[in-house]
Amino acid sequence: MKKPVLATLGLAGACVACCTIPLAIPLFGGAAALGLTSWLGVNAGISLELLVLVVMASIAAAVWGALVWTRRRRARQCGADAPGGSTCAVGPDASGCGCATR
């Protein structure tokens, strides 16, 4: 084979490995959640409306928890406010801080 063909195949393989694996993980997670939901609906006799409500509440709680966690983490990274109160005291370790200089 010639070098351009090998380079093209290598690039295609890298694109497949880089793009499809991160895209496949949420698909597998969604398929697992759907399978669990249908199994609970059939075996436990739980109504579909109750399952949908529980799933929506679980997702909302997870999103809320993630937001609270990231806000607390950023607040700890920022440090104390400056004496003037209008600017944030940024140290060298506050690179992930929301008030860090860009």
Side-chain angles (χ1 to χ4, degrees):
M1 297 180 94
K2 295 185 177 186
K3 286 184 181 181
V5 174
L6 288 175
T8 304
L9 289 175
L11 180 64
C15 287
V16 165
C18 190
C19 294
T20 58
I21 291 173
L23 291 175
I25 291 172
L27 291 175
F28 288 139
L34 181 63
L36 177 66
T37 303
S38 64
W39 180 79
L40 284 174
V42 170
N43 291 339
I46 300 173
S47 68
L48 181 62
E49 292 84 13
L50 181 62
L51 284 174
V52 169
L53 180 66
V54 168
V55 167
M56 289 173 52
S58 299
I59 290 172
V63 168
W64 178 76
L67 287 174
V68 168
W69 178 73
T70 55
R71 286 181 185 163
R72 287 184 181 175
R73 188 174 54 107
R74 284 184 183 169
R76 276 184 292 201
Q77 286 179 348
C78 280
D81 286 333
S86 61
T87 60
C88 183
V90 178
D93 59 338
S95 60
C97 178
C99 59
T101 56
R102 306 247 184 252

